[in-house]
Every structure is written in structure tokens, then in C-alpha cells.
Amino acid sequence: MISATKLKSVDFYRKIPRDLTEASLSGAGLSIVAAFSMMFLFGMELNNYLTVSTTTSVIVDRSSDGEFLRIDFNISFPALSCEFASVDVSDVLGTNRLNITKTVRKFSIDPNLISTGSEFHSGPIPKVNKHGDDFQEEYSDGSDSLTAESFEKYAHQYSILVVNFFAPWCYWSNRLKPSWERAAKIIKERHDPEMDGRILLGKVDCTQEAELCRRHHIQGYPSIRIFRKGSDVKDNHGHHEHESYYGERDTESLVAAMETLVAPVPRESHKLALEDKSNKSVDTAKRPAPLTSGCRIEGFVRVKKVPGNLVISAHSGAHSFDPSQINVSHVVSQFSFGKKLSLRMLSELKRLTPYLGGSHDRLMGHSYITNRDHVNANVTIEHYLQVVKSEVVSRRSSQELKLLEEYEYTAHSSLVDSLHIPVAKFHYEPSPMQVLVTEVPKPLSHFVTNICAIIGGVFTVAGILDSILHNTLRLVKKVELGKHF
């Protein structure tokens, strides 16, 4: 066995008897300073250990081939009717999706962007195959021409007033005109306006009665509206509530639709202003007309990660539009790419990389308003968006763990004069590169090593200073006593 004497010979820390050591005030002062220095440096090192360290690099986008990009939006159009508002998507690969409705919701709003009711359910728009009569035959005017002065009189006089809002320059209006006049004449013969009083077919020339058409939010021609006495004006901000007809436009179909409308109405209803709601059935040829001229469009679309366009405009396959009457002014409440980040994820993102997240929704809160009365009529509003993906990963135990990903973008907007129907266009261009932010955890061994270095370093430096100070004081005393050495 190894004796205790031999074990003592390898002692690195040999002890000096206390009676051979000498305490001093300078040594005590340096000891206090050294202790506080150790505590301060220990706190600094602990804070550095707990702080997340990241490295940033730019690499080629690692998204898998065929991956889709989600676009969330909430945009308010104070002058675009929900009736014709359409969300379309196209890209450079040839994708062209029109009037997306599955993931898009519409709400009627007033010019102050305040909602005027529940969600606007437009429903599926039937495809109109017959835009008029196929045969050419002479016809005479059968419908009554309405003006701003006579409109209210007729609306209160007849239980059902069906009005064709048209424009003489419109191709579809001219296709409808012969069959409309024939249908109006037939309905007059079957239901005499003076004796029956239940239904009347009228027409309004929107080039002559622009204010009347604007009051009823007419933006596409021809627009056939169904007004029911007693239900036209509700206590809902004074807005009109009626229906739009979207059925076939030949004489036979129009007459059949009118007969369906008038059948449930008793003959005395024009005196009592009654409305029969007992036999209401779903009719795909009719749908609610918009309460106001504004529309808030919200929802999301999924697009391929290639340059493309998201376009919001007035669109219909059976209507014409006057570009000067279409105003796509809008206020953006949200327009973002990628998955919607929760508040927790956003706070985590700020903790890891404080400089990220500021451009996640660059357009939020921005307004793009044009005035029809000034030089900004027929204005298309374009937004050019360059999108960059940022991915945050953590490397632990030699493995890479994805924490989160987000898409940021830059936005440049402009107002462009257009000869065609104005649109709100969002041109997006995903970058082929991505920003990779890697969280680099600090090993515990480095922290322990640094703590040991702090303690040993401060103790050693303090000892050297104490030795220098002590020898200096001894030298001063010797000089004062006149001793030589």
C-alpha cells in the first residue's frame, strides 16, 4: 500500500502555517474587489450562456417541388359591389382560376367600411345560355320606362316590380331587349296593371338615370332586380334589400320566372302590401342583391410558388361594365404569405431574431383610395410584392430541428390609368433564395470552463497586484527609514 507520506508528496496545494502569513489592509481591499469582480463576471457569463446565439445565411430555397404557398387577405373595397366582386388567381405556369369562392367570404360594407349585415352569400352563379331570343321578330315596347321620380311610385304601387337596368351601348343589354319587351307585354296581357296590380316589368336607362342606378348599386349591365312591396326598404342603415335575377333571358324563360314570382301573391296584396313567405323555395336563378356598394373580401388562396397575380375585380360572363363606374379603391387590413403565425410563435420569433417579423404583413393598414370625381377615374391599382422565405432552425445533438418559418415581403404600389375595367392587382414574386437563421446552443462545458477561467484569472491577477502593492509599500517604508538594500 502507498503510505500517507508518499501521497503528501504529490500535493499541489501545500499549506503555509497561519503564523507565517501576514494580513494587510491592502490585501483585504483587493480581496473585496476581487470577490465583486468574480460575481460581476459570473453574471455576465451566465447571461451570455442563456442568450440565444444565431447565425444567418442565405441559401437556395429548400421547399419541396410542388409545394403551395398560402395567401391570407382581408381587403375592404368601399365602392366595389359584392355582387360582381371576383377573386382570380393566375401564374406563369398557366394556372388561371376565376371567381374563387370556396375559401373566400364577402361582407357588404358602407363607404365608411362599416359592415351592413351578415355575410353576403352570392351562391353559385348559373351560367346563362340564352341571352335573348334566337329568332328575329319585330317587337314593341312592353315595359315601362322608369325615372328617379316615377320609380318610388311604381315600387309602392305594385306588389312585385321587376326592373331591367341597362345601358344602350352594352352588347348583353341589346341582346336582352327584344325578349324583355315581349315578356313585359305578355305579363301585361295576363296580369293587367290596373285590374291586377301584382306585377309590372320596367326598365331604367343607366346612362340617363345614373343617380338612380348608383342608388341601387348597379355596376354591371344588364342587371335585373326584383323589388317586393313592403320589403324594399328595411331599418338597416336605410339600405335597399331586394333580389337579383340570374336566369335565362329568352322570352319563354322570363315569362315563366315572372309567373313563378306572382303565383304566391294574392290579388289583394297590392292594397295590403303583404308578402307571402310560406312557400319560399330555393331558386338558383335569383339571389340576394347587395345591400350597399361596398364589399369586404376576406379569406385565403393556395398558389404555386412561382410568380403570379391575385386580382380582385368586377367580373361576370353575362354582364358588361362601364369602366368609369368601377372604382377599386381599397384598404388592406391583412395581406400575408404562409401559415398564419400565432401570438406565441411571433413572440418566439422575436426572441430568436428580433430583426425578423417586421415585414410579415407589410401592406397592413395601408389605404389606396381614388376619387371618381377627379382625374383618378379608370384607375388600376397594382402592388408588386417580392417574397422571401425565412426559416429558423435549431441544432441540438447534431440534429437540425425546424422551429418555424415565415414569409416576409417588400411592397411597391402604383396607380395606373387603364382603358379597360379597373382592377386591384397583387403581383407576387417568390424569391428562389431563402434566409436560414440557425440557433446555435452553447455547450455547458464551455460555460463551466469560462467560470473556472474567471475565478482563477481574477484570483491570480489579484494576487499579483497584492504582491506588487505589498512590495511597493515595503520599499517606501525602507526609504523613509533610510535603509539600504
Side-chain angles (χ1 to χ4, degrees):
M1 293 181 62
I2 302 175
S3 62
T5 303
K6 290 184 178 180
L7 284 176
K8 289 181 180 180
S9 64
V10 296
D11 184 8
F12 294 161
Y13 308 100
R14 296 174 180 270
K15 310 302 184 292
I16 302 176
R18 180 175 292 274
D19 55 355
L20 298 180
T21 60
E22 178 183 1
S24 64
L25 289 176
S26 60
L30 280 172
S31 298
I32 295 174
V33 172
F36 278 108
S37 298
M38 290 181 187
M39 293 174 60
F40 175 74
L41 293 175
F42 174 79
M44 294 286 288
E45 182 62 28
L46 180 62
N47 179 70
N48 183 58
Y49 175 72
L50 297 177
T51 301
V52 177
S53 177
T54 60
T55 60
T56 303
S57 57
V58 178
I59 62 174
V60 176
D61 191 352
R62 301 190 298 183
S63 301
S64 58
D65 186 26
E67 182 176 338
F68 286 86
L69 179 62
R70 173 173 169 145
I71 304 178
D72 288 271
F73 53 87
N74 186 333
I75 308 172
S76 299
F77 293 83
L80 181 63
S81 173
C82 285
E83 183 177 15
F84 297 112
S86 173
V87 179
D88 309 328
V89 170
S90 61
D91 60 37
V92 296
L93 295 182
T95 301
N96 194 16
R97 299 160 59 197
L98 301 178
N99 195 26
I100 300 173
T101 58
K102 187 175 181 179
T103 58
V104 176
R105 304 173 67 192
K106 302 175 186 176
F107 299 87
S108 294
I109 60 175
D110 63 17
N112 297 319
L113 309 184
I114 300 175
S115 178
T116 58
S118 58
E119 181 180 354
F120 180 83
H121 294 283
S122 59
I125 300 178
K127 182 179 180 181
V128 179
N129 296 313
K130 299 179 181 179
H131 298 276
D133 293 331
D134 295 330
F135 57 89
Q136 298 295 329
E137 183 179 309
E138 290 188 5
Y139 62 92
S140 59
D141 287 351
S143 61
D144 292 39
S145 295
L146 305 180
T147 63
E149 291 76 19
S150 63
F151 186 90
E152 294 299 329
K153 174 187 174 182
Y154 279 90
H156 288 85
Q157 182 178 352
Y158 297 95
S159 298
I160 298 176
L161 176 64
V162 187
V163 182
N164 171 24
F165 294 88
F166 71 96
W169 52 262
C170 171
Y171 169 78
W172 301 111
S173 295
N174 292 326
R175 285 284 303 272
L176 171 65
K177 184 176 180 179
S179 56
W180 181 259
E181 299 299 342
R182 293 190 190 100
K185 189 174 182 179
I186 294 173
I187 292 298
K188 274 187 177 181
E189 293 173 352
R190 296 182 181 179
H191 307 278
D192 185 88
E194 299 297 332
M195 301 299 295
D196 192 307
R198 288 183 294 172
I199 187 169
L200 181 74
L201 272 66
K203 59 187 175 184
V204 174
D205 185 349
C206 287
T207 61
Q208 300 294 327
E209 302 293 335
E211 183 56 35
L212 177 61
C213 294
R214 189 177 298 113
R215 193 168 65 206
H216 290 283
H217 321 303
I218 304 300
Q219 293 185 346
Y221 311 110
S223 288
I224 301 176
R225 295 283 198 263
I226 303 169
F227 299 88
R228 300 175 187 269
K229 186 167 67 173
S231 66
D232 180 31
V233 179
K234 299 288 186 181
D235 294 331
N236 186 9
H237 306 282
H239 300 299
H240 293 266
E241 181 177 335
H242 41 268
E243 295 173 312
S244 294
Y245 174 78
Y246 272 87
E248 302 295 347
R249 297 175 181 174
D250 61 292
T251 301
E252 183 180 350
S253 299
L254 287 171
V255 171
M258 299 306 113
E259 291 290 355
T260 303
L261 287 173
V262 77
V265 182
R267 286 181 178 273
E268 294 78 11
S269 64
H270 67 284
K271 298 179 182 179
L272 303 176
L274 298 177
E275 180 184 3
D276 185 9
K277 298 183 179 179
S278 59
N279 295 320
K280 275 201 170 182
S281 59
V282 178
D283 187 352
T284 58
K286 300 193 298 294
R287 61 190 181 114
L291 296 176
T292 60
S293 60
C295 188
R296 185 176 80 248
I297 304 175
E298 62 181 55
F300 70 91
V301 294
R302 294 171 64 85
V303 299
K304 296 177 181 178
K305 295 189 69 174
V306 296
N309 298 293
L310 187 150
V311 178
I312 300 177
S313 63
H315 177 77
S316 174
H319 294 78
S320 299
F321 300 96
D322 183 357
S324 64
Q325 298 299 316
I326 302 297
N327 188 333
V328 291
S329 299
H330 56 270
V331 177
V332 182
S333 299
Q334 180 191 9
F335 198 94
S336 59
F337 295 86
K339 296 179 181 178
K340 195 171 183 179
L341 299 180
S342 63
L343 293 177
R344 187 189 65 82
M345 293 180 68
L346 282 174
S347 61
E348 183 72 9
L349 180 66
K350 290 294 184 183
R351 181 185 71 85
L352 293 172
T353 51
Y355 50 86
L356 286 181
S359 301
H360 176 70
D361 198 351
R362 178 65 66 88
L363 290 177
M364 181 178 63
H366 286 64
S367 302
Y368 304 91
I369 305 297
T370 64
N371 193 335
R372 184 187 290 113
D373 298 330
H374 296 122
V375 295
N376 289 328
N378 295 21
V379 172
T380 286
I381 304 176
E382 296 187 357
H383 306 278
Y384 182 72
L385 315 177
Q386 291 180 301
V387 188
V388 178
K389 177 183 177 182
S390 298
E391 187 175 331
V392 182
V393 300
S394 176
R395 289 182 177 172
R396 301 179 186 276
S397 303
S398 301
Q399 293 184 346
E400 190 175 274
L401 175 66
K402 181 189 292 187
L403 299 180
L404 58 89
E405 65 178 28
E406 64 133 11
Y407 289 84
E408 295 188 309
Y409 63 90
T410 59
H412 303 278
S413 305
S414 65
L415 279 63
V416 182
D417 293 331
S418 174
L419 298 176
H420 304 288
I421 298 175
V423 302
K425 178 185 291 186
F426 297 83
H427 175 77
Y428 55 89
E429 188 169 323
S431 173
M433 311 300 289
Q434 76 169 61
V435 178
L436 179 64
V437 181
T438 306
E439 178 188 7
V440 183
K442 300 180 181 68
L444 180 62
S445 58
H446 287 189
F447 174 71
V448 174
T449 301
N450 291 342
I451 294 300
C452 292
I454 289 173
I455 296 173
V458 171
F459 188 82
T460 302
V461 171
I464 294 173
L465 292 177
D466 179 65
S467 177
I468 294 174
L469 183 60
H470 181 70
N471 290 332
T472 301
L473 291 176
R474 288 182 58 190
L475 179 62
V476 171
K477 288 181 180 180
K478 288 181 179 181
V479 171
E480 289 177 353
L481 295 175
K483 295 184 177 179
H484 300 282
F485 54 91

